[in-house]
Each structure stands twice: as structure tokens, then as C-alpha cells.
Amino acid sequence: MTMTATISRKADFPGLLTPDGQPWHYLDSAATAQKPQAVIDAATRALGVDYATVHRGVYARSAEMTLAYEAARRRVAKFIGGQEDEIVFTRGATEAINLVSYSWGEANIAAGDRILLSTLEHHSNIVPWQLLAERKGAHIDVCPLTDDGRIDLEAAREMLTSAHKLVALAHVSNVLGSVLDVQRAAELAHAVGAKILVDGCQAVPRLPVDVVALDCDFYAFSAHKLYGPTGVGALWARADILAAMPPWQGGGAMIDKVTFARTTYAPAPQRFEAGTPAIVEAVAFGAACDYVAEIGLEAIHAHEAALVAKTREALRSMNDVTIFGPEDSAGIVSFAIDGIHPHDLGTILDEENVAIRAGHHCAQPLMDHLGVPATARASFGIYSDEEDVAALVRGIERTKRIFG
Amino acid sequence: MRSLEDILEEYEFLEGDERYRLLIELGRELEEMPQPLKTDATLVRGCSAQVWVYPTEQDGRLHFLADSNAAITKGIVALVISAVQDRPASEVAAMDVTAALEPFELRNQLSSNRTQGIPNMIALVQEHATRILGA
């Protein structure tokens, strides 16, 4: 049975046209998603008629904005199956991971401890751990991949020891689209007494996520890949872990009482939100969660799976194309064409109003593993459709003619 | 090496795909850059397409060896080289290379907001010329 893409949401996204009104075939949603009108409207209201600070105004507008900001926290928490006091708003997933590496890491990682990552991690789930390991004299181990590009959990099981204090893995690879069995990974981590952090950036826009069912300890994601604004993201951490974590950045809003003799800190999550937060972005982040939840992640996953299948089928029919990643990649297809650098492909596709990503995708260790300096990547979203796939195929054919 | 004017004359005569073919051909005709010279030191900052430049000097004239692992990018590298090759440092330092390439209508490839090597390569070539002058 051929699956068909079923969601038709293009009209909700004003960004999907070129300046002269032509369809823009945007296949770079894994880098950042376009924004639906509902999110743009929420941001406009928050920045305009509703605007005020949070958590300190004595006036009604500020009290209302505080309610809206905290409501956004509840919506984000609910979106991934967590509790509101387990959500810390951050600048993005990168800051969420850095928060864990500095706060939890400072308190829980010592010399000789080990951290397990994988070959396919994004730089933002590598570098913060390297910095922590350098500070503490800890070691990093790298879990290999299976032949079809999944994190090899059997290898992870063999590598894990009681010296491992943390396992940090991507839920969905930003290059290969491969989906991690988080439950199994969590089971393996917990079996040796390690915590598990999951980088959920590419998962939250395309898979139903329930952090309790997944049994992870930390889950990090950004709003902008989830049809929300840039500049905001979230760290979910299990309540007992978050409560025990020391402050990271100091400032206003994160304190209980300040004196020069001794300062006490606010409870989590406020303890980790120093300074005036990204109010507008957080409110719009909440609106994005609502927008996506209303469409439903099962439907979105089926929609993207159909587009992935169609794209892989078209690429497979070209005999000089290598497709990376497993058959059931979630919303992402990475590939290379013999003799054509992805950058050149991207340049010609751009002329055809097709936007793809060409590069190392901030995953240089994975590029080394694949033996290529870069790949071309097409990634899908709620608004993607078969026209976009057809335009991609036309553009690839044109490029091959030019290079022929 | 063909002059930029000669190349432009042919380029303007062509359209679409043929222009890309000409760029790819220019890249292929570029003086070979020996592999050992392609190091981190000669790599131009950029994201997906790599560009290497190695400046040399003979009798007060600048001579560049350059390469890219992307064919169209290498063609544009060849255009830059055509504009500056074997000219005195004073001339290269004063030259508006981006303006010289404007008639090729490669705005997307040349705009500095792109994370690619060409604008950085132009800057590097001119910084080198300026440094030679100051020395």
C-alpha cells in the first residue's frame, strides 16, 4: 500500500511563498520550521496589546502576562507529558543541554566518571559534555551506529559500566532521521545507575513524546523546530532531579532572598530562569504546542512518513544516489549524488525555489563516519506536500543534466 | 588564464544551465593546487563547500593557487582568480572584486550572509594584498 500525505496546512504558513508570490518548496524544516499564523498572532499580541513584564508587576497587565507565561509553561509540559514545575524555559535546546552540563554536571560528575554519547550526535550534544569532561577529568565514550544508521543499543549495553553517570542521545538524528528506542536506552542507562538526557529537537515536531513513558531523566528541545519562535526552548527534568540541581546563572528572578552575607534561591524551575525571560517567545511557544497538538502527532508522523517514503523511492530510482539512514527515517532524508557536491546541488535547487540543507549539519563526527564532507538533506513538516517532493526531484534531474 | 572580460563576454551569451556548465569548465581549467597545500591554514572559513587559497608572490605580482571541493563554487573561485591573478598587490588591494563579479549575476553565491567561502575568499585575497603592501 502506498501511503499518501494527508495534512494540508500550507495556507496557515505565510512564509511559504517567494517574494514574487511563487510557491517556495521549503525542505529545511529540520533546521527550523516555518511559523503558522496562529503562532505569529500569539507573538504579535504578546509583543503588542498584552505586553508587560512577568513575576513582579503590581498592575493588572503584568499579572495577566505572568498568567500567560505560566500557562505557556503548562502547555509545553503537557505537550511532552511532564509537569509544569519540571519545565525550565531556556534560550533553546543548546542552552538546555548546557544548563544540565553546568548545573547537574558540576554536582554529579567527578574525575574518572564516564559519559556515553553516540556517533550521530549534534555538536550541541557533544561539546557541552566535552567541556564538562575537561573541567572534571571525566571521560567520554562514543556508542557506534548500526549499518543502517541507528544508535546501536546492543553496543551501548556492552559499553556501559558503573563508571557511567550519564547517557546523552538524540531521540531523532538531525541528519539520518533515525529514531532511538528511548525506553530501551533509559533502561540500559538506569541499569548501571546512570541518568539519561535525550536531545528531543527533531522528535517533538514529528513524534508523540511522553517523557514519563520514555522514562528519561532530562529531555531538551527548542521551540523553533516545533513551529514556534527562535530564542526559546525547554529543558524538562524529573522533579526530584531538578529540585536537587544547584543554580547555574545568577541574577534577578532566580533568588529567594539576597544579602551580601548569604543569598538563598528560588525553587525550581524559577531557580534556573535568571533575569527577565523571553516572555513573548514563551507565550508563542505555548501557542505552537497547541497548534501542533490540535493537528495531532500521529497524523503528522504518518504525513511525514509518506513524504519520506516517496522521496526515498524517487532517489532510489536514480542509480548514482546514496541515501543515508534507515528506511523508517522520521521526516528527514539525507543523500549524496556521485560527483555532485551537495553545495552545488543546493545552489541549483535554490534557483528552482527548492530549499534544502547542504553541509555537515553540525554533526561532523557523523560525516566522518559516513565518509563524506557533507550531505544534502531534505526535511519535511506539517506544510510539506507531494509538490515539494516533485520540485526536489525536478531540481535534482536538472542538476544531473548540468553536471552530465 | 582567460581574462575576466573574455569570460564575461561568453557568459552573457549563455543562459541557465549553460552558465553553470561554463563555471564548472572554468573550475576544471583552474591551475592545479597541490594537495599538500590544502590544509587548515589555507582553508577559507565557510560551511558546506570548502575553499582553499594559497597566495604566492613573484616580481611584485600576486599569484594565487586555489581550489574547492564543489564544482560550481570552484568555477566562481576561478572567476575571482581571473580578476586578481598576477597583478600588483597595490592593484589587487584597491580593486572592488565583488563589483567586478556583479555582471555574472551570482548574487546568491556572493552575498556575505551566506555561509560560504567566496566572500571570505575575496576578503582573504585582498587582506593578503594589503599585507604585502604594508610589509
Side-chain angles (χ1 to χ4, degrees):
Chain A
M1 192 186 76
T2 314
M3 292 189 290
T4 22
T6 46
I7 300 172
S8 175
R9 287 285 184 151
K10 248 183 180 147
D12 292 353
F13 292 83
L16 290 173
L17 291 173
T18 64
D20 54 354
Q22 298 297 309
W24 190 39
H25 302 288
Y26 184 71
L27 295 175
D28 201 17
S29 297
T32 194
Q34 294 292 319
K35 316 307 170 200
Q37 194 61 47
V39 168
I40 298 167
D41 289 346
T44 306
R45 276 195 308 275
L47 196 55
V49 294
D50 291 346
Y51 189 72
T53 194
V54 294
H55 293 148
R56 46 178 70 75
V58 293
Y59 39 89
R61 179 83 76 82
S62 173
E64 277 160 25
M65 192 50 123
T66 303
L67 290 177
Y69 179 77
E70 291 304 327
R73 192 192 305 277
R74 268 198 304 284
R75 290 144 96 180
V76 171
K78 189 172 165 222
F79 187 77
I80 55 151
Q83 301 298 316
E84 61 179 300
D85 58 359
E86 295 174 325
I87 290 287
V88 179
F89 282 126
T90 60
R91 266 196 305 127
T94 298
E95 193 181 63
I97 295 172
N98 277 281
L99 164 57
V100 176
S101 73
Y102 278 92
S103 169
W104 181 87
E106 280 302 317
N108 291 281
I109 297 290
D113 285 349
R114 309 191 78 89
I115 297 169
L116 183 71
L117 310 176
S118 88
T119 305
L120 60 66
E121 299 310 313
H122 189 281
H123 295 167
S124 64
N125 198 27
I126 298 174
V127 183
W129 307 121
Q130 288 177 324
L131 292 169
L132 174 63
E134 275 169 32
R135 288 197 304 275
K136 295 291 184 175
H139 303 283
I140 286 173
D141 295 309
V142 184
C143 180
L145 308 183
T146 61
D147 289 341
D148 65 349
R150 296 169 208 272
I151 296 171
D152 187 345
L153 289 180
E154 192 47 42
R157 189 183 61 79
E158 286 168 18
M159 293 172 82
L160 283 167
T161 65
S162 58
H164 286 90
K165 295 293 181 285
L166 182 76
V167 174
L169 301 172
H171 194 168
V172 170
S173 159
N174 71 310
V175 178
L176 303 172
S178 41
V179 182
L180 176 71
D181 180 348
V182 175
Q183 250 173 331
R184 175 70 180 143
E187 194 185 326
L188 296 173
H190 294 153
V192 295
K195 298 281 185 275
I196 180 165
L197 176 140
V198 178
D199 167 6
C201 280
Q202 299 296 346
V204 287
R206 36 184 68 92
L207 295 176
V209 171
D210 181 334
V211 288
V212 176
L214 295 175
D215 198 25
C216 50
D217 301 298
F218 302 100
Y219 199 91
F221 57 109
S222 58
H224 74 99
K225 291 185 184 5
L226 185 60
Y227 309 96
T230 51
V232 69
L235 170 72
W236 171 87
R238 239 176 49 214
D240 58 318
I241 298 173
L242 199 59
M245 277 164 51
W248 172 32
Q249 294 171 334
M254 54 76 75
I255 48 86
D256 170 37
K257 187 172 169 49
V258 178
T259 66
F260 281 107
R262 182 166 179 272
T263 292
T264 54
Y265 304 104
Q270 278 74 29
R271 182 158 73 239
F272 304 105
E273 293 179 7
T276 300
I279 302 167
V280 173
E281 290 79 0
V283 169
F285 187 4
C289 290
D290 287 353
Y291 176 84
V292 173
E294 190 233 309
I295 296 168
L297 281 147
E298 272 90 5
I300 294 169
H301 184 238
H303 175 80
E304 293 189 5
L307 294 170
V308 164
K310 211 163 190 70
T311 305
R312 290 181 74 99
E313 189 186 322
L315 292 177
R316 238 192 327 265
S317 70
M318 306 175 185
N319 53 15
D320 44 4
V321 175
T322 308
I323 308 173
F324 303 106
E327 209 54 42
D328 60 351
S329 295
I332 294 170
V333 182
S334 265
F335 59 98
I337 308 174
D338 291 351
I340 303 177
H341 193 282
H343 190 88
D344 288 335
L345 175 64
T347 300
I348 294 168
L349 287 177
D350 185 33
E351 268 195 12
E352 302 277 319
N353 293 333
V354 178
I356 60 154
R357 177 82 183 265
H360 56 59
H361 317 289
C362 297
Q364 286 174 347
L366 176 56
M367 295 297 114
D368 293 343
H369 168 77
L370 298 174
V372 292
T375 74
R377 179 186 72 183
S379 54
F380 303 102
I382 292 170
Y383 38 71
S384 308
D385 61 19
E386 279 152 32
E387 281 302 304
D388 299 325
V389 177
L392 171 69
V393 172
R394 274 198 306 276
I396 293 173
E397 281 164 355
R398 182 185 164 203
T399 308
K400 286 164 57 132
R401 276 199 305 279
I402 290 171
F403 276 76
Chain B
M1 166 156 232
R2 294 160 70 182
S3 74
L4 199 60
E5 293 73 29
D6 280 357
I7 298 168
L8 181 59
E9 204 172 306
E10 183 179 349
Y11 191 83
E12 280 178 330
F13 195 70
L14 304 171
E15 29 192 308
D17 294 4
E18 291 302 323
R19 288 185 163 190
Y20 282 122
R21 287 201 187 97
L22 174 59
L23 285 175
I24 294 167
E25 187 189 314
L26 290 169
R28 286 195 188 123
E29 289 169 3
L30 198 61
E31 177 182 353
E32 199 189 330
M33 181 174 188
Q35 207 60 35
L37 289 179
K38 292 179 208 163
T39 64
D40 282 349
T42 58
L43 187 65
V44 178
R45 272 187 308 117
C47 185
S48 56
Q50 289 172 306
V51 173
W52 296 268
V53 186
Y54 185 76
T56 61
E57 195 195 355
Q58 279 171 341
D59 312 323
R61 288 169 183 272
L62 302 182
H63 188 87
F64 296 92
L65 293 168
D67 200 358
S68 173
N69 59 354
I72 294 171
T73 304
K74 190 171 177 179
I76 303 170
V77 166
L79 293 181
V80 176
I81 297 294
S82 287
V84 300
Q85 197 69 305
D86 298 325
R87 291 175 188 267
S90 55
E91 208 178 304
V92 172
M95 192 185 287
D96 187 341
V97 179
T98 310
L101 297 188
E102 222 155 71
F104 289 88
E105 295 171 342
L106 296 163
R107 206 153 36 87
N108 282 346
Q109 279 74 37
L110 295 176
S111 72
S112 55
N113 61 9
R114 287 275 182 122
T115 51
Q116 37 193 357
I118 300 290
N120 292 331
M121 175 196 172
I122 293 172
L124 200 141
V125 162
Q126 296 201 289
E127 276 163 26
H128 177 73
T130 309
R131 202 163 42 236
I132 295 278
L133 284 177

